Amino acid sequence: MYCSVVDPEHDSVNGRKRSGRPQRTHHQVADELRARIRSGALRPGERMPTQAQLAHEFGVERGAVRQALRILQSERLLTNVSKGSPATVAPDPVGALTGPQAPPRPTTVALAPRIADAFAAEHVEIDAVCLTSISLTLAIGEPLRQIHAGRLKPAKVDVRVLLPSRDIDLAFPVPVEGHDDDRVHERWLAMRNAQGQVLQHNLLALRATHGIDVRVTFRALPFTPPVKLYLLNGTEALFAYYTLTRREAETDHEQPALYDAQGTQSMLFAFRQGAGLRDTTFVEQSHLWFNALWETISSELVLTS
């Protein structure tokens, strides 16, 4: 069993409680249907259940189902979304998130399905450069569920993660006023360590539970990365900018106003080797860049406070 970083709630039907838990949102319905499409439970070209059937299954109003289906249609995972007939799974839902025609999407939407597809390989290789690894930890949850359900069985998993060193002055998050505030740095460091430990624990547990050869390695960067990058199986590169915003002070917790980035909402651009010269070159250069950082100026990172 793996540690969870999220605990989505579920279900009521048209105001009638089914399990005593809060009703699902249309985003949660979209997440579940997206996972079924990515796992192959819903096949390309297959007609979806009716909106009435989905509303009954998830315990939501039909309006929530329609909103969820529209989200998946905007991601090019579904076609023929209308009130009158069931939607259809797109002919190539796997390719919808990669290649030169793929639109950028928030990390929370785009990363998990790509990670899940990467875990279908015999030897899974994931390299990441990020600020805290929270997006990667969340995204790993889907393939872990599929492994525990017996739908995926890689033989080997290698994960390398570059994170900022604890000893540097971060470019962000930082107080708006610009004065030193150890609490901001300590909160970031606690988040970095906690997310990394959950990621490491969840993956290494696959050794005991499924006999998978797993290696998870972290190294520290001497700077704050202004971008996040995920490299999957040597064939895909997912890239996003950290865009800074002002986050107002939390008076109850005495936290100052900050300049910070919401990495889970960063728009992720997908590049795939073999999808044209532009994509292939970007993937190759991203690997060269990552390996150069890993082998030169990065240092050993221990996930402790």
Side-chain angles (χ1 to χ4, degrees), residues 2 4 6 8 32 35 112 138-152:
Y2 62 91
S4 176
V6 289
E32 173 61 27
L138 288 165
I140 287 287
E142 177 57 29
L144 289 179
R145 283 188 286 272
Q146 294 192 35
I147 288 172
H148 292 307
R151 291 193 291 268
L152 291 174

PDB file of all heavy atoms in Angstrom, residues 2 4 6 8 32 35 112 138-152:
ATOM      1  N   TYR A   2       0.489   2.271  -0.727  1.00  0.00           N
ATOM      2  CA  TYR A   2       1.302   3.474  -0.813  1.00  0.00           C
ATOM      3  C   TYR A   2       0.648   4.622  -0.077  1.00  0.00           C
ATOM      4  O   TYR A   2      -0.553   4.651   0.136  1.00  0.00           O
ATOM      5  CB  TYR A   2       1.554   3.861  -2.275  1.00  0.00           C
ATOM      6  CG  TYR A   2       0.328   4.188  -3.070  1.00  0.00           C
ATOM      7  CD1 TYR A   2      -0.146   5.484  -3.149  1.00  0.00           C
ATOM      8  CD2 TYR A   2      -0.370   3.188  -3.753  1.00  0.00           C
ATOM      9  CE1 TYR A   2      -1.274   5.799  -3.882  1.00  0.00           C
ATOM     10  CE2 TYR A   2      -1.500   3.494  -4.481  1.00  0.00           C
ATOM     11  CZ  TYR A   2      -1.937   4.795  -4.542  1.00  0.00           C
ATOM     12  OH  TYR A   2      -3.047   5.091  -5.263  1.00  0.00           O
ATOM     13  N   SER A   4      -0.827   8.235   0.444  1.00  0.00           N
ATOM     14  CA  SER A   4      -1.590   9.112  -0.440  1.00  0.00           C
ATOM     15  C   SER A   4      -1.368  10.564  -0.054  1.00  0.00           C
ATOM     16  O   SER A   4      -1.286  10.897   1.117  1.00  0.00           O
ATOM     17  CB  SER A   4      -3.078   8.785  -0.355  1.00  0.00           C
ATOM     18  OG  SER A   4      -3.830   9.676  -1.140  1.00  0.00           O
ATOM     19  N   VAL A   6      -3.468  12.865  -1.582  1.00  0.00           N
ATOM     20  CA  VAL A   6      -4.795  13.453  -1.749  1.00  0.00           C
ATOM     21  C   VAL A   6      -5.837  12.422  -1.330  1.00  0.00           C
ATOM     22  O   VAL A   6      -5.601  11.232  -1.394  1.00  0.00           O
ATOM     23  CB  VAL A   6      -5.061  13.867  -3.225  1.00  0.00           C
ATOM     24  CG1 VAL A   6      -4.226  15.068  -3.582  1.00  0.00           C
ATOM     25  CG2 VAL A   6      -4.793  12.726  -4.169  1.00  0.00           C
ATOM     26  N   PRO A   8      -9.648  12.307  -2.334  1.00  0.00           N
ATOM     27  CA  PRO A   8     -10.880  12.825  -2.899  1.00  0.00           C
ATOM     28  C   PRO A   8     -12.111  12.227  -2.256  1.00  0.00           C
ATOM     29  O   PRO A   8     -12.126  11.063  -1.892  1.00  0.00           O
ATOM     30  CB  PRO A   8     -10.777  12.454  -4.392  1.00  0.00           C
ATOM     31  CG  PRO A   8      -9.788  11.364  -4.471  1.00  0.00           C
ATOM     32  CD  PRO A   8      -8.839  11.568  -3.319  1.00  0.00           C
ATOM     33  N   GLU A  32     -11.752  10.796 -13.003  1.00  0.00           N
ATOM     34  CA  GLU A  32     -11.989   9.350 -13.032  1.00  0.00           C
ATOM     35  C   GLU A  32     -12.158   8.845 -14.459  1.00  0.00           C
ATOM     36  O   GLU A  32     -11.586   7.812 -14.847  1.00  0.00           O
ATOM     37  CB  GLU A  32     -13.221   9.004 -12.195  1.00  0.00           C
ATOM     38  CG  GLU A  32     -13.652   7.545 -12.286  1.00  0.00           C
ATOM     39  CD  GLU A  32     -12.583   6.570 -11.801  1.00  0.00           C
ATOM     40  OE1 GLU A  32     -11.757   6.963 -10.950  1.00  0.00           O
ATOM     41  OE2 GLU A  32     -12.575   5.425 -12.296  1.00  0.00           O
ATOM     42  N   ALA A  35      -8.853   8.825 -16.278  1.00  0.00           N
ATOM     43  CA  ALA A  35      -8.034   7.689 -15.871  1.00  0.00           C
ATOM     44  C   ALA A  35      -8.478   6.412 -16.576  1.00  0.00           C
ATOM     45  O   ALA A  35      -7.648   5.586 -16.979  1.00  0.00           O
ATOM     46  CB  ALA A  35      -8.096   7.518 -14.354  1.00  0.00           C
ATOM     47  N   ALA A 112      -0.263  13.517 -15.050  1.00  0.00           N
ATOM     48  CA  ALA A 112      -0.624  12.175 -14.584  1.00  0.00           C
ATOM     49  C   ALA A 112      -0.838  11.170 -15.720  1.00  0.00           C
ATOM     50  O   ALA A 112      -0.311  10.052 -15.661  1.00  0.00           O
ATOM     51  CB  ALA A 112      -1.851  12.234 -13.681  1.00  0.00           C
ATOM     52  N   LEU A 138       1.989  13.632  -6.942  1.00  0.00           N
ATOM     53  CA  LEU A 138       0.569  13.441  -7.248  1.00  0.00           C
ATOM     54  C   LEU A 138       0.379  12.586  -8.495  1.00  0.00           C
ATOM     55  O   LEU A 138      -0.459  11.678  -8.526  1.00  0.00           O
ATOM     56  CB  LEU A 138      -0.105  14.799  -7.441  1.00  0.00           C
ATOM     57  CG  LEU A 138      -0.316  15.662  -6.195  1.00  0.00           C
ATOM     58  CD1 LEU A 138      -0.655  17.091  -6.584  1.00  0.00           C
ATOM     59  CD2 LEU A 138      -1.421  15.075  -5.325  1.00  0.00           C
ATOM     60  N   ALA A 139       1.169  12.865  -9.531  1.00  0.00           N
ATOM     61  CA  ALA A 139       1.006  12.163 -10.810  1.00  0.00           C
ATOM     62  C   ALA A 139       1.370  10.693 -10.713  1.00  0.00           C
ATOM     63  O   ALA A 139       0.800   9.853 -11.420  1.00  0.00           O
ATOM     64  CB  ALA A 139       1.847  12.846 -11.888  1.00  0.00           C
ATOM     65  N   ILE A 140       2.315  10.345  -9.849  1.00  0.00           N
ATOM     66  CA  ILE A 140       2.731   8.954  -9.691  1.00  0.00           C
ATOM     67  C   ILE A 140       1.602   8.111  -9.107  1.00  0.00           C
ATOM     68  O   ILE A 140       1.559   6.896  -9.282  1.00  0.00           O
ATOM     69  CB  ILE A 140       3.980   8.882  -8.784  1.00  0.00           C
ATOM     70  CG1 ILE A 140       5.216   9.393  -9.528  1.00  0.00           C
ATOM     71  CG2 ILE A 140       4.222   7.482  -8.268  1.00  0.00           C
ATOM     72  CD1 ILE A 140       5.749   8.459 -10.590  1.00  0.00           C
ATOM     73  N   GLY A 141       0.650   8.745  -8.446  1.00  0.00           N
ATOM     74  CA  GLY A 141      -0.432   7.997  -7.822  1.00  0.00           C
ATOM     75  C   GLY A 141      -1.209   7.125  -8.788  1.00  0.00           C
ATOM     76  O   GLY A 141      -1.586   5.996  -8.452  1.00  0.00           O
ATOM     77  N   GLU A 142      -1.465   7.609 -10.013  1.00  0.00           N
ATOM     78  CA  GLU A 142      -2.254   6.837 -10.974  1.00  0.00           C
ATOM     79  C   GLU A 142      -1.556   5.549 -11.408  1.00  0.00           C
ATOM     80  O   GLU A 142      -2.159   4.469 -11.329  1.00  0.00           O
ATOM     81  CB  GLU A 142      -2.612   7.704 -12.182  1.00  0.00           C
ATOM     82  CG  GLU A 142      -3.386   6.967 -13.275  1.00  0.00           C
ATOM     83  CD  GLU A 142      -4.681   6.334 -12.781  1.00  0.00           C
ATOM     84  OE1 GLU A 142      -5.283   6.856 -11.810  1.00  0.00           O
ATOM     85  OE2 GLU A 142      -5.089   5.309 -13.343  1.00  0.00           O
ATOM     86  N   PRO A 143      -0.299   5.578 -11.862  1.00  0.00           N
ATOM     87  CA  PRO A 143       0.336   4.304 -12.209  1.00  0.00           C
ATOM     88  C   PRO A 143       0.504   3.377 -11.015  1.00  0.00           C
ATOM     89  O   PRO A 143       0.445   2.149 -11.168  1.00  0.00           O
ATOM     90  CB  PRO A 143       1.695   4.722 -12.791  1.00  0.00           C
ATOM     91  CG  PRO A 143       1.916   6.109 -12.348  1.00  0.00           C
ATOM     92  CD  PRO A 143       0.557   6.722 -12.232  1.00  0.00           C
ATOM     93  N   LEU A 144       0.704   3.914  -9.819  1.00  0.00           N
ATOM     94  CA  LEU A 144       0.785   3.048  -8.645  1.00  0.00           C
ATOM     95  C   LEU A 144      -0.525   2.296  -8.429  1.00  0.00           C
ATOM     96  O   LEU A 144      -0.527   1.101  -8.122  1.00  0.00           O
ATOM     97  CB  LEU A 144       1.128   3.876  -7.405  1.00  0.00           C
ATOM     98  CG  LEU A 144       2.546   4.436  -7.324  1.00  0.00           C
ATOM     99  CD1 LEU A 144       2.719   5.262  -6.051  1.00  0.00           C
ATOM    100  CD2 LEU A 144       3.590   3.340  -7.391  1.00  0.00           C
ATOM    101  N   ARG A 145      -1.646   3.001  -8.603  1.00  0.00           N
ATOM    102  CA  ARG A 145      -2.938   2.325  -8.478  1.00  0.00           C
ATOM    103  C   ARG A 145      -3.084   1.223  -9.521  1.00  0.00           C
ATOM    104  O   ARG A 145      -3.598   0.140  -9.224  1.00  0.00           O
ATOM    105  CB  ARG A 145      -4.080   3.347  -8.613  1.00  0.00           C
ATOM    106  CG  ARG A 145      -4.302   4.202  -7.367  1.00  0.00           C
ATOM    107  CD  ARG A 145      -5.555   5.044  -7.490  1.00  0.00           C
ATOM    108  NE  ARG A 145      -5.371   6.160  -8.412  1.00  0.00           N
ATOM    109  CZ  ARG A 145      -4.905   7.343  -8.071  1.00  0.00           C
ATOM    110  NH1 ARG A 145      -4.576   7.580  -6.816  1.00  0.00           N
ATOM    111  NH2 ARG A 145      -4.768   8.313  -8.950  1.00  0.00           N
ATOM    112  N   GLN A 146      -2.610   1.482 -10.726  1.00  0.00           N
ATOM    113  CA  GLN A 146      -2.721   0.482 -11.785  1.00  0.00           C
ATOM    114  C   GLN A 146      -1.796  -0.705 -11.524  1.00  0.00           C
ATOM    115  O   GLN A 146      -2.135  -1.849 -11.837  1.00  0.00           O
ATOM    116  CB  GLN A 146      -2.415   1.125 -13.136  1.00  0.00           C
ATOM    117  CG  GLN A 146      -3.447   2.155 -13.555  1.00  0.00           C
ATOM    118  CD  GLN A 146      -3.292   2.580 -15.004  1.00  0.00           C
ATOM    119  OE1 GLN A 146      -2.937   1.773 -15.853  1.00  0.00           O
ATOM    120  NE2 GLN A 146      -3.548   3.837 -15.282  1.00  0.00           N
ATOM    121  N   ILE A 147      -0.636  -0.441 -10.955  1.00  0.00           N
ATOM    122  CA  ILE A 147       0.267  -1.543 -10.596  1.00  0.00           C
ATOM    123  C   ILE A 147      -0.369  -2.404  -9.514  1.00  0.00           C
ATOM    124  O   ILE A 147      -0.387  -3.640  -9.599  1.00  0.00           O
ATOM    125  CB  ILE A 147       1.629  -0.996 -10.130  1.00  0.00           C
ATOM    126  CG1 ILE A 147       2.409  -0.431 -11.323  1.00  0.00           C
ATOM    127  CG2 ILE A 147       2.451  -2.091  -9.441  1.00  0.00           C
ATOM    128  CD1 ILE A 147       3.673   0.307 -10.940  1.00  0.00           C
ATOM    129  N   HIS A 148      -0.918  -1.780  -8.469  1.00  0.00           N
ATOM    130  CA  HIS A 148      -1.542  -2.539  -7.388  1.00  0.00           C
ATOM    131  C   HIS A 148      -2.782  -3.287  -7.865  1.00  0.00           C
ATOM    132  O   HIS A 148      -3.140  -4.321  -7.286  1.00  0.00           O
ATOM    133  CB  HIS A 148      -1.888  -1.604  -6.229  1.00  0.00           C
ATOM    134  CG  HIS A 148      -0.693  -1.055  -5.517  1.00  0.00           C
ATOM    135  ND1 HIS A 148       0.315  -1.850  -5.007  1.00  0.00           N
ATOM    136  CD2 HIS A 148      -0.310   0.225  -5.241  1.00  0.00           C
ATOM    137  CE1 HIS A 148       1.241  -1.105  -4.437  1.00  0.00           C
ATOM    138  NE2 HIS A 148       0.886   0.159  -4.573  1.00  0.00           N
ATOM    139  N   ALA A 149      -3.425  -2.777  -8.919  1.00  0.00           N
ATOM    140  CA  ALA A 149      -4.604  -3.453  -9.486  1.00  0.00           C
ATOM    141  C   ALA A 149      -4.216  -4.540 -10.481  1.00  0.00           C
ATOM    142  O   ALA A 149      -5.082  -5.254 -10.984  1.00  0.00           O
ATOM    143  CB  ALA A 149      -5.518  -2.432 -10.159  1.00  0.00           C
ATOM    144  N   GLY A 150      -2.913  -4.665 -10.766  1.00  0.00           N
ATOM    145  CA  GLY A 150      -2.450  -5.705 -11.681  1.00  0.00           C
ATOM    146  C   GLY A 150      -2.520  -5.339 -13.144  1.00  0.00           C
ATOM    147  O   GLY A 150      -2.305  -6.195 -14.008  1.00  0.00           O
ATOM    148  N   ARG A 151      -2.800  -4.068 -13.470  1.00  0.00           N
ATOM    149  CA  ARG A 151      -2.906  -3.670 -14.877  1.00  0.00           C
ATOM    150  C   ARG A 151      -1.572  -3.245 -15.475  1.00  0.00           C
ATOM    151  O   ARG A 151      -1.429  -3.187 -16.691  1.00  0.00           O
ATOM    152  CB  ARG A 151      -3.935  -2.538 -15.020  1.00  0.00           C
ATOM    153  CG  ARG A 151      -5.368  -2.981 -14.750  1.00  0.00           C
ATOM    154  CD  ARG A 151      -6.363  -1.924 -15.197  1.00  0.00           C
ATOM    155  NE  ARG A 151      -6.306  -0.742 -14.374  1.00  0.00           N
ATOM    156  CZ  ARG A 151      -7.053  -0.535 -13.303  1.00  0.00           C
ATOM    157  NH1 ARG A 151      -7.909  -1.469 -12.913  1.00  0.00           N
ATOM    158  NH2 ARG A 151      -6.954   0.579 -12.608  1.00  0.00           N
ATOM    159  N   LEU A 152      -0.594  -2.900 -14.620  1.00  0.00           N
ATOM    160  CA  LEU A 152       0.740  -2.537 -15.086  1.00  0.00           C
ATOM    161  C   LEU A 152       1.757  -3.343 -14.302  1.00  0.00           C
ATOM    162  O   LEU A 152       1.577  -3.614 -13.116  1.00  0.00           O
ATOM    163  CB  LEU A 152       1.013  -1.040 -14.864  1.00  0.00           C
ATOM    164  CG  LEU A 152       0.231  -0.030 -15.712  1.00  0.00           C
ATOM    165  CD1 LEU A 152       0.538   1.399 -15.249  1.00  0.00           C
ATOM    166  CD2 LEU A 152       0.578  -0.182 -17.194  1.00  0.00           C
TER     167      LEU A 152
END
